[in-house]
Amino acid sequence: MKISEKSPTKVMVTGATKNSCMAVIRGLSQKGCEIIGADERSLPFKMHSRYTKPYYSYPPGYDDDFMDAIIKIIQKEKPDVFLPVAGSKQISMHKQTIEKYTNVLLPDFKSYVKAFDNQLTIKACKKLNIGCPDIWHENDVLHELGKNRNRKNPVHFVLKPRSDIGGARGLGIFHDEKSLQHFKKTGKKYGKPFISEYIPGATENMRTVNLLFDTNSELVAYFTTRKIRQWPNSGGISALTVSTHEPDLVDFILPFFKKYRWQGFAEAEIKIDARDEKPKLIEINPRFCGYIGFPIACGVNFPWYMCQLVNGEKPETVKYPSGIQYIHWPAYLKAVYSEWQKNKSKKKFFSKIRTEIKGKKVSNNMEWHDWKVIAAKMFFELLDRGN
């Protein structure tokens, strides 16, 4: 389906009140797109972006009624492009059906699942000789935890959901059996977990690689970052991060996407192992990242590139600046407060904070023209009801 060159590109997005989708909407609006918004949740007073006209609600959860609702919206609005910020797993599953009505740039479902299932991701990367944590069976973990009683430096492990939940939900780092059982109990609601080796290193060892592939699985654009702060502090979303140029990390993870004929956007989280200074893949997120507004603000407009790709056009990508800092204020304040509670040297701590917040920062690419929805979202975030 070729997009008309005479009229604005009509784009439908899901998850329209999420931070990531708000950034996508803003990035598309910069290019004059007509945007159709849809979401399962409602903000106070049913607020939504001024750019999402029309706006729809679909059933909560992602069961069959979700797809029925999505198809009905598509049939009514006839978008040129469909960018699923939420529900991308189900959209990938029904990709062939969606493509009868509009354009969507997603990998086939079998490939999607290889990234969505964190355990399958690690197993696949092991076969491709991509460095990543070892997977451990629980009985072997319990044996090692028993040895920790006599170790000065106990061995740590990671318990995390197999599914791509996001936001470090269900993740626990532990070195004793009591903590393991605690994390297993609290993480039950996130589905089946697995245990892996803990890769040591500070927050600054964390990297992210944003990648975009065309319909032929050729790399079109990338954007890399280094984390400065994250929330939770043990591992989670980017609270303060800086843009970098690290093509070696792109090359490091590229074999996975070539193997599985990837189409569309994906984010890889990588940690530089403090033991050998080599990169280790932590996970791959087969969706727009929560900080998607950051690359957009730096000139790498992934959502618009995707619209161009499905129209058979080759996007004119930019060379983005390194050293630009991104801040997610709610997450940053939580991370800082948590560290402040544990820090003994308050003077050094506040000096560190002054250094961190000094200088210009970009946020998730929202503007004050949308102040009503921003206020509603801030209310939600402060209550931890979503992002």
Side-chain angles (χ1 to χ4, degrees):
M1 181 186 295
K2 190 169 179 65
I3 300 171
S4 171
E5 296 179 0
K6 296 181 180 180
S7 58
T9 302
K10 196 173 183 180
V11 187
M12 177 175 163
V13 295
T14 52
T17 65
K18 303 287 187 182
N19 281 349
S20 53
C21 194
M22 288 289 293
V24 167
I25 289 167
R26 176 60 184 152
L28 293 171
S29 72
Q30 292 173 357
K31 300 299 181 180
C33 295
E34 180 182 340
I35 304 162
I36 306 155
D39 206 333
E40 66 174 1
R41 74 176 186 180
S42 295
L43 296 178
F45 308 107
K46 297 184 178 180
M47 291 292 180
H48 59 87
S49 172
R50 65 196 293 265
Y51 299 110
T52 49
K53 298 177 182 180
Y55 182 82
Y56 294 86
S57 295
Y58 50 77
Y62 300 110
D63 297 323
D64 291 340
D65 53 351
F66 163 75
M67 281 307 307
D68 292 340
I70 293 298
I71 293 295
K72 287 180 181 179
I73 298 171
I74 291 174
Q75 289 176 322
K76 181 178 179 180
E77 294 294 338
K78 297 178 174 58
D80 301 306
V81 185
F82 180 28
L83 298 183
V85 182
S88 57
K89 179 184 177 183
Q90 285 68 28
I91 302 303
S92 176
M93 188 185 302
H94 296 87
K95 179 182 175 182
Q96 292 183 338
T97 301
I98 294 292
E99 288 178 329
K100 293 177 182 178
Y101 306 102
T102 188
N103 297 294
V104 61
L105 192 59
L106 280 174
D108 293 334
F109 187 63
K110 287 184 179 180
S111 296
Y112 186 99
V113 170
K114 288 291 184 180
F116 182 85
D117 186 319
N118 291 310
Q119 182 170 301
L120 291 182
T121 303
I122 291 179
K123 287 183 176 180
C125 288
K126 288 281 188 183
K127 292 180 180 179
L128 294 168
N129 295 316
I130 297 172
C132 50
D134 291 328
I135 295 174
W136 282 69
H137 295 289
E138 186 169 345
N139 288 339
D140 296 327
V141 169
L142 292 172
H143 181 68
E144 287 297 317
L145 294 180
K147 293 180 180 179
N148 276 347
R149 299 188 189 98
N150 300 317
R151 286 171 172 156
K152 290 183 179 180
N153 297 309
V155 176
H156 288 70
F157 296 93
V158 177
L159 179 83
K160 65 189 298 184
R162 289 185 60 166
S163 298
D164 172 31
I165 303 297
R169 288 173 293 178
L171 181 145
I173 300 171
F174 62 92
H175 66 273
D176 57 56
E177 186 175 351
K178 183 179 179 181
S179 297
L180 168 60
Q181 299 307 325
H182 168 74
F183 289 129
K184 285 177 64 177
K185 183 178 180 180
T186 56
K188 275 186 178 180
K189 59 183 176 181
Y190 300 116
K192 191 174 181 180
F194 74 105
I195 301 173
S196 71
E197 169 192 18
Y198 171 72
I199 303 299
T203 298
E204 291 80 1
N205 287 44
M206 291 299 303
R207 305 288 194 273
T208 66
V209 180
N210 292 228
L211 304 157
L212 178 62
F213 297 87
D214 63 16
T215 54
N216 295 316
S217 302
E218 293 296 325
L219 181 66
V220 173
Y222 74 85
F223 183 82
T224 64
T225 77
R226 173 175 58 84
K227 288 186 179 182
I228 300 172
R229 280 194 181 274
Q230 57 190 345
W231 178 252
N233 290 327
S234 59
I237 65 172
S238 296
L240 181 63
T241 188
V242 61
S243 62
T244 64
H245 275 294
E246 299 181 87
D248 55 321
L249 295 182
V250 176
D251 294 337
F252 167 71
I253 191 57
L254 207 54
F256 175 91
F257 297 100
K258 291 294 184 182
K259 168 72 175 179
Y260 294 103
R261 302 291 301 163
W262 201 264
Q263 297 180 41
F265 183 88
E267 179 213 43
E269 292 212 12
I270 295 167
K271 190 171 187 179
I272 307 303
D273 194 327
R275 296 169 296 190
D276 57 15
E277 296 300 317
K278 292 183 179 179
K280 301 294 192 301
L281 175 77
I282 302 302
E283 64 185 30
I284 294 174
N285 299 313
R287 52 176 168 76
F288 285 114
C289 54
Y291 57 90
I292 185 64
F294 185 22
I296 293 174
C298 291
V300 187
N301 197 331
F302 285 113
W304 175 241
Y305 292 167
M306 293 174 75
C307 292
Q308 293 177 290
L309 288 172
V310 297
N311 193 34
E313 300 174 9
K314 185 176 181 180
E316 186 176 343
T317 58
V318 303
K319 184 177 180 181
Y320 65 89
S322 59
I324 304 298
Q325 289 191 339
Y326 161 88
I327 192 165
H328 183 294
W329 279 109
Y332 180 80
L333 293 174
K334 290 175 186 177
V336 166
Y337 178 70
S338 177
E339 183 179 333
W340 174 79
Q341 287 182 306
K342 301 174 183 178
N343 200 291
K344 294 180 180 179
S345 177
K346 304 301 182 186
K347 185 177 180 180
K348 288 184 179 180
F349 173 77
F350 286 115
S351 177
K352 178 182 178 182
I353 299 305
R354 282 195 296 270
T355 300
E356 287 182 352
I357 64 176
K358 185 179 180 181
K360 185 180 178 180
K361 305 284 192 297
V362 300
S363 61
N364 215 8
N365 206 29
M366 294 197 295
E367 59 174 27
W368 287 108
H369 287 139
D370 251 347
W371 70 268
K372 292 181 180 179
V373 71
I374 292 173
K377 284 178 58 55
M378 286 176 66
F379 177 74
F380 257 52
E381 288 182 6
L382 289 174
L383 294 179
D384 284 328
R385 292 181 60 184
N387 63 3

